[in-house]
Structures are given as C-alpha cells and as structure tokens.
Amino acid sequence: MVEVLQENPADRRRRRHPPLAAAFDDTWRQTDTAISGQPSDRLVTTRWGDGIQLREFMITRVVELVLHGLDIAIALGVPAWTAPEAAAVVCDFLQIEPAATHLGWDRRTALAKAGGRAALSTEESAELARLNLTWRRLG
C-alpha cells in the first residue's frame, strides 16, 4: 500500500543523497519559475504533437510521479510513499472518490487500487460493477 506522508521527507532525502536532492530541488525550482508566470490555460504541445492546457499538463506530471514512484518502491521492495497534496491531485484526477467512499477505502488504498498497483477483490469488483462506479483509467 501507499503511505501518505504527514511530514515532508525533504530533510531525510537531503541527508541521505545530497547531490541527488540538490539536483531535484534545482529542477523543481527552475520548473516553478518557468511556469509560474504563465496562464493556466496556455496550450502546451506534448512530445507527440498534441496540445494540452498547462494546468492539465502539470496534473499529468504529478500523476506520473506518484504512480511511477509506487512502481519503483514496489520494484525495490521498499515502502511506497507520497505527499498528501500529490495524493489528492491523483485521486481527483482519477475520479476515484465515489468508489473509494462507497467501499470505505482510505486515500492510500484508493491510490493503489485505482492506479493498478493493488488488485480489486472479487467482492469489490462485483460491487463496483453493480453500482456502475468507475474511475479514469490510464493507458
């Protein structure tokens, strides 16, 4: 499952991997500077040539970081984590709140199941089908 952190892991990351943490900090600050003055509805051209609004493009970046971060944690056999703000962005993007509420999932379970990182039980699948509850699926 995914641990939704209540604390910022930046201090721990800086102590363990100073050069990597410094590069990451530099990259996100440059990105923030580059986009902060832009209108959120600015059209961005993706590497495939299609257009997407800047606000939507940035959401897809958070989704990628959270879900692929889970993949990396699973592959390394370490606990998965994400920041509460990132978890909220992904849950909103995937539109999983109705299913999560109905099935009593917490945010960490909802992320893992909706992101395909944890299997739905037979009962969960049946209940979701019965109520026609779905969420946005990727790929």
Side-chain angles (χ1 to χ4, degrees):
M1 291 296 175
V2 181
E3 177 185 352
V4 177
L5 295 183
Q6 299 305 313
E7 62 181 306
N8 186 334
D11 290 334
R12 181 178 54 199
R13 185 176 62 238
R14 285 185 187 97
R15 282 193 312 275
R16 288 177 143 174
H17 308 285
L20 181 60
F24 178 82
D25 285 346
D26 186 51
T27 300
W28 83 256
R29 289 176 199 285
Q30 286 180 30
T31 302
D32 184 57
T33 299
I35 67 168
S36 61
Q38 301 298 316
S40 64
D41 62 349
R42 177 183 173 173
L43 193 61
V44 174
T45 303
T46 70
R47 63 181 168 216
W48 297 281
D50 55 337
I52 185 172
Q53 289 184 341
L54 179 60
R55 80 172 142 263
E56 296 297 319
F57 180 74
M58 295 310 295
I59 290 169
T60 68
R61 301 305 81 212
V62 175
V63 171
E64 292 279 338
L65 286 170
V66 169
L67 296 182
H68 291 306
L70 298 179
D71 296 335
I72 291 169
I74 291 165
L76 295 174
V78 299
W81 63 270
T82 191
E85 299 86 355
V89 167
V90 177
C91 286
D92 289 346
F93 176 79
L94 294 177
Q95 302 169 349
I96 60 176
E97 200 60 43
T101 299
H102 183 76
L103 293 171
W105 295 338
D106 60 16
R107 185 166 276 162
R108 120 181 25 171
T109 301
L111 275 173
K113 291 193 181 236
R117 277 63 182 178
L120 294 171
S121 70
T122 303
E123 295 80 15
E124 289 170 330
S125 292
E127 183 65 5
L128 291 171
R130 184 182 75 77
L131 296 172
N132 196 30
L133 286 176
T134 61
W135 52 80
R136 182 179 285 170
R137 303 204 193 266
L138 306 173

mmCIF file of all heavy atoms in Angstrom, residues 83-108:
data_model
loop_
_atom_site.group_PDB
_atom_site.id
_atom_site.type_symbol
_atom_site.label_atom_id
_atom_site.label_comp_id
_atom_site.label_asym_id
_atom_site.label_seq_id
_atom_site.Cartn_x
_atom_site.Cartn_y
_atom_site.Cartn_z
ATOM 1 N N ALA A 83 3.356 12.516 -0.920
ATOM 2 C CA ALA A 83 2.890 13.649 -0.124
ATOM 3 C C ALA A 83 1.364 13.728 -0.194
ATOM 4 O O ALA A 83 0.777 13.373 -1.227
ATOM 5 C CB ALA A 83 3.511 14.944 -0.646
ATOM 6 N N PRO A 84 0.710 14.185 0.860
ATOM 7 C CA PRO A 84 -0.753 14.279 0.855
ATOM 8 C C PRO A 84 -1.289 15.119 -0.299
ATOM 9 O O PRO A 84 -2.310 14.779 -0.895
ATOM 10 C CB PRO A 84 -1.085 14.924 2.203
ATOM 11 C CG PRO A 84 0.103 14.697 3.059
ATOM 12 C CD PRO A 84 1.285 14.605 2.136
ATOM 13 N N GLU A 85 -0.598 16.207 -0.637
ATOM 14 C CA GLU A 85 -1.051 17.061 -1.730
ATOM 15 C C GLU A 85 -1.013 16.322 -3.066
ATOM 16 O O GLU A 85 -1.924 16.450 -3.884
ATOM 17 C CB GLU A 85 -0.188 18.325 -1.816
ATOM 18 C CG GLU A 85 -0.223 19.194 -0.578
ATOM 19 C CD GLU A 85 0.776 18.783 0.504
ATOM 20 O OE1 GLU A 85 1.458 17.758 0.363
ATOM 21 O OE2 GLU A 85 0.865 19.513 1.513
ATOM 22 N N ALA A 86 0.046 15.563 -3.292
ATOM 23 C CA ALA A 86 0.162 14.789 -4.529
ATOM 24 C C ALA A 86 -0.901 13.699 -4.577
ATOM 25 O O ALA A 86 -1.512 13.459 -5.619
ATOM 26 C CB ALA A 86 1.561 14.189 -4.656
ATOM 27 N N ALA A 87 -1.134 13.041 -3.447
ATOM 28 C CA ALA A 87 -2.167 12.002 -3.389
ATOM 29 C C ALA A 87 -3.532 12.591 -3.730
ATOM 30 O O ALA A 87 -4.312 11.986 -4.473
ATOM 31 C CB ALA A 87 -2.196 11.357 -2.005
ATOM 32 N N ALA A 88 -3.817 13.783 -3.225
ATOM 33 C CA ALA A 88 -5.107 14.429 -3.509
ATOM 34 C C ALA A 88 -5.242 14.754 -4.995
ATOM 35 O O ALA A 88 -6.308 14.554 -5.586
ATOM 36 C CB ALA A 88 -5.247 15.699 -2.668
ATOM 37 N N VAL A 89 -4.166 15.240 -5.610
ATOM 38 C CA VAL A 89 -4.199 15.559 -7.049
ATOM 39 C C VAL A 89 -4.513 14.305 -7.854
ATOM 40 O O VAL A 89 -5.358 14.320 -8.751
ATOM 41 C CB VAL A 89 -2.858 16.188 -7.509
ATOM 42 C CG1 VAL A 89 -2.757 16.226 -9.028
ATOM 43 C CG2 VAL A 89 -2.698 17.590 -6.931
ATOM 44 N N VAL A 90 -3.848 13.195 -7.535
ATOM 45 C CA VAL A 90 -4.043 11.957 -8.295
ATOM 46 C C VAL A 90 -5.442 11.396 -8.059
ATOM 47 O O VAL A 90 -6.110 10.970 -9.008
ATOM 48 C CB VAL A 90 -2.953 10.921 -7.960
ATOM 49 C CG1 VAL A 90 -3.208 9.606 -8.692
ATOM 50 C CG2 VAL A 90 -1.577 11.468 -8.332
ATOM 51 N N CYS A 91 -5.900 11.406 -6.822
ATOM 52 C CA CYS A 91 -7.261 10.915 -6.541
ATOM 53 C C CYS A 91 -8.303 11.733 -7.293
ATOM 54 O O CYS A 91 -9.238 11.176 -7.873
ATOM 55 C CB CYS A 91 -7.535 10.928 -5.040
ATOM 56 S SG CYS A 91 -6.689 9.620 -4.128
ATOM 57 N N ASP A 92 -8.133 13.057 -7.306
ATOM 58 C CA ASP A 92 -9.063 13.915 -8.050
ATOM 59 C C ASP A 92 -8.989 13.637 -9.548
ATOM 60 O O ASP A 92 -10.004 13.529 -10.227
ATOM 61 C CB ASP A 92 -8.771 15.395 -7.791
ATOM 62 C CG ASP A 92 -9.148 15.848 -6.395
ATOM 63 O OD1 ASP A 92 -9.878 15.115 -5.700
ATOM 64 O OD2 ASP A 92 -8.697 16.936 -5.995
ATOM 65 N N PHE A 93 -7.761 13.506 -10.072
ATOM 66 C CA PHE A 93 -7.576 13.258 -11.498
ATOM 67 C C PHE A 93 -8.208 11.931 -11.918
ATOM 68 O O PHE A 93 -8.872 11.846 -12.950
ATOM 69 C CB PHE A 93 -6.088 13.269 -11.846
ATOM 70 C CG PHE A 93 -5.812 12.925 -13.278
ATOM 71 C CD1 PHE A 93 -5.976 13.883 -14.270
ATOM 72 C CD2 PHE A 93 -5.397 11.656 -13.646
ATOM 73 C CE1 PHE A 93 -5.733 13.582 -15.600
ATOM 74 C CE2 PHE A 93 -5.146 11.340 -14.979
ATOM 75 C CZ PHE A 93 -5.320 12.299 -15.953
ATOM 76 N N LEU A 94 -7.994 10.895 -11.129
ATOM 77 C CA LEU A 94 -8.543 9.580 -11.467
ATOM 78 C C LEU A 94 -10.047 9.476 -11.202
ATOM 79 O O LEU A 94 -10.682 8.527 -11.624
ATOM 80 C CB LEU A 94 -7.807 8.479 -10.694
ATOM 81 C CG LEU A 94 -6.336 8.294 -11.049
ATOM 82 C CD1 LEU A 94 -5.715 7.225 -10.168
ATOM 83 C CD2 LEU A 94 -6.165 7.942 -12.515
ATOM 84 N N GLN A 95 -10.586 10.455 -10.482
ATOM 85 C CA GLN A 95 -12.022 10.489 -10.161
ATOM 86 C C GLN A 95 -12.450 9.230 -9.400
ATOM 87 O O GLN A 95 -13.460 8.605 -9.710
ATOM 88 C CB GLN A 95 -12.850 10.661 -11.437
ATOM 89 C CG GLN A 95 -12.498 11.916 -12.194
ATOM 90 C CD GLN A 95 -13.110 11.985 -13.582
ATOM 91 O OE1 GLN A 95 -13.654 11.024 -14.105
ATOM 92 N NE2 GLN A 95 -13.042 13.160 -14.187
ATOM 93 N N ILE A 96 -11.693 8.904 -8.366
ATOM 94 C CA ILE A 96 -11.960 7.674 -7.622
ATOM 95 C C ILE A 96 -12.732 7.877 -6.328
ATOM 96 O O ILE A 96 -13.054 6.917 -5.645
ATOM 97 C CB ILE A 96 -10.658 6.908 -7.314
ATOM 98 C CG1 ILE A 96 -9.708 7.758 -6.489
ATOM 99 C CG2 ILE A 96 -10.011 6.418 -8.578
ATOM 100 C CD1 ILE A 96 -8.452 7.016 -6.084
ATOM 101 N N GLU A 97 -13.059 9.118 -6.012
ATOM 102 C CA GLU A 97 -13.731 9.388 -4.739
ATOM 103 C C GLU A 97 -15.040 8.629 -4.545
ATOM 104 O O GLU A 97 -15.269 8.063 -3.478
ATOM 105 C CB GLU A 97 -13.940 10.891 -4.558
ATOM 106 C CG GLU A 97 -14.175 11.290 -3.127
ATOM 107 C CD GLU A 97 -13.003 10.930 -2.214
ATOM 108 O OE1 GLU A 97 -11.841 11.133 -2.600
ATOM 109 O OE2 GLU A 97 -13.259 10.439 -1.104
ATOM 110 N N PRO A 98 -15.925 8.569 -5.555
ATOM 111 C CA PRO A 98 -17.179 7.821 -5.323
ATOM 112 C C PRO A 98 -16.942 6.351 -4.985
ATOM 113 O O PRO A 98 -17.550 5.815 -4.056
ATOM 114 C CB PRO A 98 -17.940 7.971 -6.649
ATOM 115 C CG PRO A 98 -17.402 9.226 -7.259
ATOM 116 C CD PRO A 98 -15.943 9.255 -6.855
ATOM 117 N N ALA A 99 -16.048 5.706 -5.709
ATOM 118 C CA ALA A 99 -15.758 4.292 -5.432
ATOM 119 C C ALA A 99 -15.089 4.141 -4.072
ATOM 120 O O ALA A 99 -15.443 3.255 -3.286
ATOM 121 C CB ALA A 99 -14.864 3.712 -6.522
ATOM 122 N N ALA A 100 -14.126 5.016 -3.783
ATOM 123 C CA ALA A 100 -13.412 4.935 -2.511
ATOM 124 C C ALA A 100 -14.360 5.148 -1.338
ATOM 125 O O ALA A 100 -14.309 4.417 -0.340
ATOM 126 C CB ALA A 100 -12.289 5.966 -2.478
ATOM 127 N N THR A 101 -15.243 6.119 -1.464
ATOM 128 C CA THR A 101 -16.208 6.386 -0.398
ATOM 129 C C THR A 101 -17.135 5.200 -0.202
ATOM 130 O O THR A 101 -17.357 4.753 0.924
ATOM 131 C CB THR A 101 -17.012 7.667 -0.717
ATOM 132 O OG1 THR A 101 -16.103 8.760 -0.809
ATOM 133 C CG2 THR A 101 -18.049 7.941 0.348
ATOM 134 N N HIS A 102 -17.669 4.684 -1.287
ATOM 135 C CA HIS A 102 -18.621 3.572 -1.187
ATOM 136 C C HIS A 102 -17.967 2.319 -0.590
ATOM 137 O O HIS A 102 -18.586 1.619 0.209
ATOM 138 C CB HIS A 102 -19.227 3.242 -2.552
ATOM 139 C CG HIS A 102 -20.244 2.157 -2.476
ATOM 140 N ND1 HIS A 102 -21.515 2.373 -1.985
ATOM 141 C CD2 HIS A 102 -20.162 0.841 -2.775
ATOM 142 C CE1 HIS A 102 -22.179 1.230 -1.996
ATOM 143 N NE2 HIS A 102 -21.385 0.281 -2.475
ATOM 144 N N LEU A 103 -16.728 2.048 -0.971
ATOM 145 C CA LEU A 103 -16.062 0.840 -0.495
ATOM 146 C C LEU A 103 -15.278 1.052 0.803
ATOM 147 O O LEU A 103 -14.693 0.117 1.341
ATOM 148 C CB LEU A 103 -15.137 0.283 -1.577
ATOM 149 C CG LEU A 103 -15.881 -0.242 -2.808
ATOM 150 C CD1 LEU A 103 -14.902 -0.582 -3.921
ATOM 151 C CD2 LEU A 103 -16.724 -1.455 -2.454
ATOM 152 N N GLY A 104 -15.273 2.287 1.293
ATOM 153 C CA GLY A 104 -14.603 2.564 2.562
ATOM 154 C C GLY A 104 -13.083 2.569 2.483
ATOM 155 O O GLY A 104 -12.404 2.347 3.475
ATOM 156 N N TRP A 105 -12.551 2.862 1.278
ATOM 157 C CA TRP A 105 -11.106 2.908 1.126
ATOM 158 C C TRP A 105 -10.557 4.219 1.655
ATOM 159 O O TRP A 105 -11.149 5.276 1.446
ATOM 160 C CB TRP A 105 -10.708 2.818 -0.339
ATOM 161 C CG TRP A 105 -11.016 1.543 -1.044
ATOM 162 C CD1 TRP A 105 -11.235 0.316 -0.487
ATOM 163 C CD2 TRP A 105 -11.136 1.369 -2.458
ATOM 164 N NE1 TRP A 105 -11.468 -0.604 -1.463
ATOM 165 C CE2 TRP A 105 -11.421 0.007 -2.688
ATOM 166 C CE3 TRP A 105 -11.027 2.228 -3.540
ATOM 167 C CZ2 TRP A 105 -11.591 -0.514 -3.956
ATOM 168 C CZ3 TRP A 105 -11.196 1.714 -4.803
ATOM 169 C CH2 TRP A 105 -11.468 0.356 -5.015
ATOM 170 N N ASP A 106 -9.412 4.156 2.302
ATOM 171 C CA ASP A 106 -8.699 5.392 2.613
ATOM 172 C C ASP A 106 -7.947 5.812 1.356
ATOM 173 O O ASP A 106 -7.930 5.095 0.355
ATOM 174 C CB ASP A 106 -7.765 5.216 3.810
ATOM 175 C CG ASP A 106 -6.697 4.146 3.613
ATOM 176 O OD1 ASP A 106 -6.451 3.717 2.461
ATOM 177 O OD2 ASP A 106 -6.101 3.734 4.613
ATOM 178 N N ARG A 107 -7.337 6.972 1.394
ATOM 179 C CA ARG A 107 -6.679 7.509 0.197
ATOM 180 C C ARG A 107 -5.551 6.593 -0.277
ATOM 181 O O ARG A 107 -5.368 6.378 -1.464
ATOM 182 C CB ARG A 107 -6.156 8.916 0.473
ATOM 183 C CG ARG A 107 -5.587 9.549 -0.774
ATOM 184 C CD ARG A 107 -5.380 11.010 -0.617
ATOM 185 N NE ARG A 107 -6.641 11.678 -0.892
ATOM 186 C CZ ARG A 107 -6.923 12.908 -0.526
ATOM 187 N NH1 ARG A 107 -6.057 13.612 0.135
ATOM 188 N NH2 ARG A 107 -8.081 13.449 -0.819
ATOM 189 N N ARG A 108 -4.820 6.010 0.653
ATOM 190 C CA ARG A 108 -3.699 5.157 0.258
ATOM 191 C C ARG A 108 -4.192 3.912 -0.479
ATOM 192 O O ARG A 108 -3.642 3.519 -1.490
ATOM 193 C CB ARG A 108 -2.852 4.877 1.489
ATOM 194 C CG ARG A 108 -2.673 3.508 1.913
ATOM 195 C CD ARG A 108 -1.846 3.318 3.149
ATOM 196 N NE ARG A 108 -1.798 4.451 4.052
ATOM 197 C CZ ARG A 108 -1.273 4.415 5.249
ATOM 198 N NH1 ARG A 108 -0.738 3.324 5.692
ATOM 199 N NH2 ARG A 108 -1.264 5.454 6.019
#
